Amino acid sequence: KEEHENGLPREAAPGALAALDAVAAQGWTNGLLTGNGPLRAKYKLLAAGIDPQLFDPVHSYFGHESPTSHDLTAGARAALDGRHAVIVGDTPADGAAADSAGIPFLAVATGIYSTAELVDTSALVIVNDLVTGLDELIETIAQSMGTESARR
């Protein structure tokens, strides 16, 4: 009953807002790729205290656009028309979706999967969280683009 009256409580992963800011500070685009529809994604972000406007709507892709995560990710890859992209996720399924579209995967163990459980993915890097692992995550994105990060 409480969940129905108050909504599903959510918390942003520690460091999530700083990570979004760090990506934007590099001049890169924050896009959202989710199995949720746009409205559900918006409400989940808001419930976690994250402004949905931190994500570029032109470079965001939602579950209602595709029947499977493979199709969704492949559609995102096609829409990006050769632009560089990475997928930052916290599940082996995120890694499989990235792999199916040929997009580099970076793993963060902030979900239900531990670092040890993410080792069997193709992740270029696995960080424990977005607080202690943010610099490494940003550096890995820069390396995957063939550039150097401005963060030091």
Side-chain angles (χ1 to χ4, degrees):
K1 179 179 174 182
E2 181 180 332
E3 189 174 294
H4 178 72
E5 291 174 1
N6 299 324
L8 185 60
R10 304 231 178 249
E11 283 186 38
L17 291 172
L20 290 167
D21 289 344
V23 167
Q26 293 293 324
W28 304 330
T29 301
N30 285 307
L32 189 62
L33 185 127
T34 176
N36 292 296
L39 194 57
R40 180 162 172 76
K42 176 182 176 179
Y43 289 134
K44 287 173 79 172
L45 288 167
L46 288 170
I50 298 174
D51 183 351
Q53 292 183 3
L54 294 174
F55 297 92
D56 180 354
V58 172
H59 296 103
S60 292
Y61 307 92
F62 301 95
H64 76 289
E65 297 169 341
S66 185
T68 68
S69 61
H70 163 74
D71 291 330
L72 177 63
T73 310
R77 172 80 272 166
L80 290 169
D81 193 30
R83 287 186 217 110
H84 185 76
V86 298
I87 291 179
V88 178
D90 61 1
T91 72
D94 294 335
D99 293 347
S100 75
I103 300 173
F105 176 58
L106 293 77
V108 182
T110 56
I112 61 170
Y113 292 93
S114 68
T115 301
E117 292 170 304
L118 293 167
V119 167
D120 291 330
T121 68
S122 65
L124 297 178
V125 67
I126 303 169
V127 297
N128 289 323
D129 58 61
L130 293 169
V131 175
T132 62
L134 181 57
D135 287 338
E136 188 175 8
L137 194 72
I138 294 296
E139 196 58 40
T140 303
I141 294 169
Q143 289 172 358
S144 77
M145 296 173 66
T147 63
E148 254 185 74
S149 171
R151 289 186 98 198
R152 293 267 181 232

